[in-house]
Amino acid sequence: MTAMRLIILSDTHNLHSGLAPLPDGDVLVHAGDMTGRGTLGEIEAFVEWFAALPHRHKIMIAGNHDFAFETSAAAAEALVPKGVTYLRDAATIIEGIKFWGSPWQPWFYDWAFNLERGEEIARKWALIPNDVEVLITHGPPHGVLDTVVVVPAEHVGCEALLARLDTLPALRLHVFGHIHEAYGSTELLGRRFVNACICDEGYRPVNAPIVIDL
């Protein structure tokens, strides 16, 4: 069986055009926060760049900076060109592998796609199909690549999302961003977790896209 190569990035915050050439791969994934303030103009600039990249399949979700995808959803989604798949609590299947994308995260100041911890956000995670193999959310699950730089260190990921992961038997890969200082990847219980933030906590685009072969 031929491997599917995923090129994964997140949290580019309007700095996409200055990135080094991205690695080759089959599926390019952006896990949200493509913009700084989430205006339609910022979104349009990003999706034009994203669509022009040579990868055969491209998937993107919104993040907490990408306001227009929440406040002016129809206008923002109309900017997404053919050849790019935008997921908002929705699935797509590529070469037999089911992807699911969702932009929500626990309440974080007064940004976009915020929901209260507990039952409110758990209702969004309940929408994830049981047969999903690649999950793309903007924020991390609790305790996994979610540590912020404070003293003492604090885990800020979503507890309800972590609980939902335990009920997804087919899940192989969980992709997210949001917590810049927790960039990296790890494997737990046979699953790969990727925090693909390109920008560090100072909003400097210093991290490389993460490459995963399924």
Side-chain angles (χ1 to χ4, degrees), residues 42-182:
E42 288 176 305
I43 291 168
E44 184 174 25
F46 172 81
V47 296
E48 287 179 356
W49 171 81
F50 197 62
L53 293 170
H55 306 78
R56 289 189 294 127
H57 305 282
K58 304 177 187 72
I59 301 173
M60 56 178 274
I61 67 169
N64 60 291
H65 279 251
D66 304 324
F67 282 97
F69 276 112
E70 183 176 30
T71 60
S72 305
E77 292 176 22
L79 295 174
V80 179
K82 184 178 179 180
V84 175
T85 299
Y86 169 71
L87 298 178
R88 174 174 170 167
D89 300 317
T92 189
I93 296 175
I94 298 175
E95 298 177 9
I97 294 177
K98 179 174 279 189
F99 294 75
W100 179 270
S102 181
W104 308 96
Q105 68 273 308
W107 199 271
F108 183 76
Y109 295 101
D110 195 19
W111 294 86
F113 295 106
N114 283 346
L115 293 173
E116 296 293 344
R117 294 179 185 268
E119 290 186 11
E120 185 177 40
I121 199 165
R123 286 194 288 271
K124 294 296 184 183
W125 308 141
L127 300 174
I128 302 170
N130 291 336
D131 61 347
V132 68
E133 294 176 77
V134 179
L135 177 62
I136 309 163
T137 60
H138 182 58
H142 185 77
V144 183
L145 301 173
D146 71 332
T147 305
V148 295
V149 180
V150 296
V151 179
E154 182 181 358
H155 292 288
V156 295
C158 181
E159 299 86 351
L161 179 54
L162 180 66
R164 180 64 175 125
L165 298 183
D166 287 339
T167 67
L168 299 175
L171 185 66
R172 302 162 63 186
L173 172 64
H174 184 191
V175 173
F176 46 87
H178 188 44
I179 307 303
H180 293 196
E181 52 264 64

Side-chain angles (χ1 to χ4, degrees), residues 7 9 16-25 28 49 53-55 207-209 211:
I7 310 302
L9 61 163
H16 48 271
S17 62
L19 300 182
L22 302 186
D24 293 334
L28 181 63
W49 171 81
L53 293 170
H55 306 78
N207 297 324
V211 179

